């Protein structure tokens, strides 16, 4: 019987590789977590701190540093970090060197509600608590706060944030009633009666046409109210 030495060599090499991989994996799992690295992604990194994340982990998971890597449950740690009201998403993994790395995306507020309850409205239209570490410079929402009016306020702010001029100049939304919203501007003395949230594109195009002309004519200061409530019209009330 002829022996296939090439097959035996290949089998021996395969067993050696599997053995080395298993040994390396065993040694890797036996190592301890050497350090913890918390990285905040994006440009919205103001509402949560590294110390706050570390404290959250210690309170809900215990100390991670110097714990064996095989005892660290990454999904559980991700869930704990994501449970913080300031966190939008979290990704946790272990490096080869034994460093526990957590990459966190914080939530982004786009409006601040000033009513019986005070909170932010984030860029997903959800309620977000105020932060003890930073106060966001976002438009203030006042008036009759209801679930529906907040939904509409989010639609307005989402539109405003996509326009460079409006984003820089709109500083407030006052809710007179559901379907009746009033905008306040940073510099101008007048307020803008927006009405409801239908046809926002048309309403703001009409407003910008009015604003450009009134700026050119130097008559902006003559107006107390600018109404966009009527179809394809800008109705102004003088001081």
């Amino acid at each position: 019987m002829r022996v296939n030495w090439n097959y035996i060599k290949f089998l021996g090499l395969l067993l050696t590789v599997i053995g080395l991989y298993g040994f390396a994996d065993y040694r890797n799992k036996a190592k301890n977590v050497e350090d913890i690295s918390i990285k905040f992604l994006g440009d919205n990194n103001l509402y949560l701190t590294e110390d706050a994340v570390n404290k959250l982990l210690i309170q809900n998971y215990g100390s991670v540093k110097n714990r064996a890597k095989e005892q660290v449950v990454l999904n559980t740690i991700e869930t704990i970090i994501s449970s913080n009201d300031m966190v939008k998403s979290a990704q946790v993994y272990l490096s080869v060197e034994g460093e526990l790395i957590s990459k966190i995306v914080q939530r982004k507020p786009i409006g601040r509600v000033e009513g019986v309850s005070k909170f932010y409205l984030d860029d997903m239209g959800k309620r977000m608590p105020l932060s003890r570490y930073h106060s966001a410079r976002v438009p203030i929402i006042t008036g009759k706060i209801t679930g529906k009016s907040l939904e509409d306020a989010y639609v307005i702010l989402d539109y405003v944030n996509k326009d460079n001029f409006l984003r820089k100049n709109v500083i407030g939304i006052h809710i007179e009633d559901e379907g009746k919203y009033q905008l306040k501007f940073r510099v101008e003395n007048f307020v803008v009666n927006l009405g409801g949230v239908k046809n926002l594109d048309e309403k703001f195009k009409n407003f910008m046409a009015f604003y450009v002309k009134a700026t050119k004519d130097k008559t902006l200061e003559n107006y107390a109210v600018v109404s966009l409530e009527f179809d394809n019209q800008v109705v102004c009330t003088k001081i």
Side-chain angles (χ1 to χ4, degrees):
M1 178 176 148
R2 187 174 179 181
V3 178
N4 189 334
W5 291 106
N6 288 334
Y7 176 77
I8 293 175
K9 288 178 181 178
F10 175 77
L11 183 61
L13 179 61
L14 182 61
L15 291 174
T16 301
V17 170
I18 293 174
L20 290 173
Y21 177 81
F23 178 70
D25 185 57
Y26 170 78
R27 289 194 61 185
N28 182 54
K29 288 182 178 178
K31 286 183 179 179
N32 291 342
V33 177
E34 299 292 335
D35 199 6
I36 300 175
S37 175
I38 296 171
K39 300 177 181 179
F40 295 111
L41 305 182
D43 57 356
N44 198 50
N45 306 322
L46 303 168
Y47 309 103
L48 191 63
T49 65
E50 290 187 26
D51 287 342
V53 174
N54 283 324
K55 185 176 180 180
L56 181 67
L57 286 175
I58 291 173
Q59 289 177 340
N60 295 276
Y61 191 81
S63 178
V64 177
K65 195 172 180 180
N66 297 323
R67 185 181 293 195
K69 291 170 69 174
E70 65 177 356
Q71 296 177 359
V72 176
V73 184
L74 299 180
N75 287 341
T76 300
I77 294 176
E78 282 186 358
T79 300
I80 290 171
I81 295 175
S82 298
S83 69
N84 187 282
D85 289 329
M86 301 299 172
V87 175
K88 187 174 185 177
S89 65
Q91 179 186 11
V92 179
Y93 60 93
L94 282 164
S95 70
V96 177
E97 294 77 17
E99 183 179 33
L100 181 74
I101 300 173
S102 175
K103 294 184 177 180
I104 300 172
V105 178
Q106 295 189 32
R107 295 171 68 184
K108 181 180 180 180
I110 60 172
R112 175 170 174 153
V113 175
E114 290 290 333
V116 177
S117 298
K118 294 178 172 59
F119 54 90
Y120 290 125
L121 196 64
D122 76 1
D123 60 348
M124 301 298 290
K126 297 179 180 179
R127 297 187 180 210
M128 172 182 171
L130 303 183
S131 170
R132 59 183 293 189
Y133 304 107
H134 180 75
S135 180
R137 296 182 64 182
V138 292
I140 304 298
I141 304 170
T142 57
K144 296 181 180 179
I145 308 297
T146 66
K148 179 61 171 64
S149 65
L150 281 181
E151 289 178 10
D152 288 349
Y154 168 71
V155 172
I156 296 168
L157 289 173
D158 186 56
Y159 187 99
V160 164
N161 282 328
K162 292 174 181 176
D163 182 276
N164 191 50
F165 172 82
L166 295 175
R167 185 175 63 252
K168 290 179 179 179
N169 288 280
V170 174
I171 62 170
I173 298 176
H174 181 69
I175 303 169
E176 296 181 309
D177 210 336
E178 288 185 8
K180 296 189 68 175
Y181 305 101
Q182 189 178 78
L183 303 184
K184 298 180 180 179
F185 280 70
R186 185 177 306 280
V187 177
E188 312 307 338
N189 293 323
F190 60 77
V191 294
V192 175
N193 284 342
L194 187 63
V197 295
K198 290 184 178 180
N199 303 320
L200 285 183
D201 195 52
E202 180 183 330
K203 288 180 178 180
F204 280 117
K205 282 181 180 178
N206 291 337
F207 171 75
M208 288 308 302
F210 154 78
Y211 190 90
V212 170
K213 186 178 187 306
T215 299
K216 183 179 179 181
D217 296 341
K218 298 181 179 180
T219 58
L220 280 176
E221 62 184 19
N222 296 336
Y223 302 109
V225 180
V226 177
S227 178
L228 308 177
E229 298 175 272
F230 309 101
D231 291 342
N232 203 31
Q233 295 184 60
V234 177
V235 179
C236 302
T237 302
K238 290 188 175 182
I239 295 175

